[in-house]
């Protein structure tokens, strides 16, 4: 790059810089065991079991066939989501 006289731009994508959110989140996760012995595993487990009805993204809820406010089943698209049954829509 220097031979072609291209500018060298600093990398801001990898998280190695100080005060990045990744470092702050790691600090948070590392302090969780002081609050609860299972806190770290609970967060990891919950991240693996995300459901559109539990998120605040109204567009995602609508696209999945859920009511945008309550998260209740509105049409058949929602019945294909993990964890939903016909009883959830009533």
């Amino acid at each position: 790059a220097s031979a072609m006289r291209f500018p060298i731009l600093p990398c801001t994508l990898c998280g190695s810089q100080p005060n990045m959110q990744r470092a702050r989140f790691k600090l948070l996760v590392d302090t969780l065991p002081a609050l609860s012995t299972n806190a770290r595993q609970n967060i990891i487990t919950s991240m693996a079991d995300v459901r559109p009805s539990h998120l605040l993204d109204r567009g995602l809820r609508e696209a999945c066939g859920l009511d945008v406010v309550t998260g209740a089943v509105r049409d058949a698209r929602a019945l294909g989501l993990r964890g939903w049954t016909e009883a959830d829509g009533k």
Side-chain angles (χ1 to χ4, degrees), residues 17-89:
Q17 294 78 24
N19 301 320
M20 295 295 292
Q21 291 292 62
R22 181 180 295 254
R24 290 178 183 170
F25 188 75
K26 183 177 184 321
L27 177 63
L28 172 67
V29 170
D30 288 344
T31 59
L32 287 174
L35 301 173
S36 169
T37 56
N38 296 330
R40 183 184 194 118
Q41 187 59 43
N42 289 345
I43 289 175
I44 292 169
T45 301
S46 67
M47 289 172 61
D49 190 25
V50 177
R51 299 175 189 206
S53 61
H54 297 164
L55 302 176
L56 298 176
D57 186 340
R58 291 178 177 215
L60 177 62
R61 285 183 177 188
E62 184 176 17
C64 292
L66 301 172
D67 182 83
V68 296
V69 176
T70 66
V73 173
R74 287 288 179 215
D75 65 53
R77 290 176 293 169
L79 299 178
L81 298 173
R82 184 176 63 184
W84 283 101
T85 64
E86 291 203 33
D88 295 317

